[in-house]
């Protein structure tokens, strides 16, 4: 014969309270981990793009080389649409800001990023800083910047307020192609 007590079901209620807290922490850790992965991929991509931009200088295919170098790290970031990434190749002011001369690219709609064919993966939106205009002589070097603006896609939907827009910049001085003025 079983004696009923007032404590029946208390363990179930305690488990429900603790499980809610544990699942909240678990989903938060997963979401922040995925966001951190995306952020590291994008910062790695901007640094790689700036290194290639500094070395490629005013070569005719410099933009394609820059975009190809940036595509590798970006493959780790899940993308849903073309608005996920906007890439700017720009002439930087002394303080590192965009001078007004820039190329803007967006990821092609409906295609995945292709690390081999930049024309397949990227659309040029503006053409205000073509490679031919980049100064690469020893006494007159441009400072080139790479900016990625991207929308992080939350995976679990755990955080309210929509998907955040993040920006990352990397700036480097051009490598000289000649050591005398033209």
């Amino acid at each position: 014969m079983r004696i009923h007590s007032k404590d029946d079901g208390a363990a179930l209620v305690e488990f429900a309270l603790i499980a809610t807290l544990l699942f909240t922490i678990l989903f938060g850790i997963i979401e922040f981990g995925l966001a951190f992965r995306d952020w590291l991929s994008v910062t790695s991509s901007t640094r790689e793009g700036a290194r290639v931009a500094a070395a490629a200088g005013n070569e005719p295919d410099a933009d394609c080389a820059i975009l190809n170098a940036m595509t590798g790290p970006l493959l780790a970031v899940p993308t849903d649409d073309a608005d996920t990434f906007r890439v700017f190749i720009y002439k930087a002011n002394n303080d590192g800001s965009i001078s007004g001369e820039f190329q803007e690219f967006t990821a092609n709609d409906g295609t995945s990023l292709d690390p081999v064919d930049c024309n397949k993966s990227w659309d040029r939106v503006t053409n205000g800083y073509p490679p031919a205009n980049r100064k690469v002589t020893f006494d007159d070097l441009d400072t080139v910047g790479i900016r990625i603006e991207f929308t992080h896609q939350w995976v679990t939907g755990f955080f309210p307020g929509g998907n955040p827009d993040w920006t990352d910049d990397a700036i480097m001085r051009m490598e000289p192609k000649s050591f005398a003025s033209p």
Side-chain angles (χ1 to χ4, degrees):
M1 180 166 146
R2 185 167 179 227
I3 300 175
H4 293 277
S5 110
K6 293 181 183 180
D7 292 337
D8 283 353
L12 183 62
V13 171
E14 290 170 357
F15 174 75
L17 292 172
I18 297 299
T20 303
L21 178 63
L22 289 176
F23 283 121
T24 301
I25 292 170
L26 176 67
F27 285 131
I29 289 170
I30 290 169
E31 196 68 79
F32 276 111
L34 294 171
F36 189 60
R37 178 211 53 198
D38 290 353
W39 181 253
L40 288 177
S41 297
V42 169
T43 57
S44 174
S45 179
T46 54
R47 285 193 310 266
E48 187 63 26
R51 282 191 289 272
V52 170
N58 60 0
E59 298 293 325
D61 63 343
D63 287 349
C64 193
I66 294 165
L67 292 170
N68 280 340
M70 294 174 68
T71 299
L74 292 178
L75 293 175
V77 180
T79 58
D80 290 6
D81 54 46
D83 295 331
T84 301
F85 296 112
R86 289 176 53 208
V87 174
F88 296 87
I89 302 169
Y90 62 93
K91 180 179 179 181
N93 292 323
N94 290 337
D95 65 355
S97 63
I98 296 177
S99 68
E101 297 179 56
F102 62 89
Q103 306 274 82
E104 180 183 354
F105 297 88
T106 59
N108 276 341
D109 194 18
T111 61
S112 61
L113 295 177
D114 186 341
V116 176
D117 185 0
C118 68
N119 294 322
K120 181 179 174 186
S121 299
W122 300 96
D123 287 326
R124 184 188 320 259
V125 178
T126 61
N127 193 21
Y129 188 48
N133 292 1
R134 298 175 191 160
K135 297 176 184 164
V136 293
T137 57
F138 183 71
D139 58 346
D140 191 20
L141 292 171
D142 278 351
T143 302
V144 66
I146 303 295
R147 170 178 285 178
I148 294 182
E149 295 177 355
F150 72 105
T151 302
H152 172 71
Q153 307 291 324
W154 294 119
V155 176
T156 63
F158 184 70
F159 295 105
N163 297 319
D165 294 324
W166 291 337
T167 301
D168 188 52
D169 288 276
I171 300 164
M172 293 190 125
R173 190 170 175 152
M174 291 282 200
E175 294 289 328
K177 298 290 181 189
S178 65
F179 291 96
S181 294

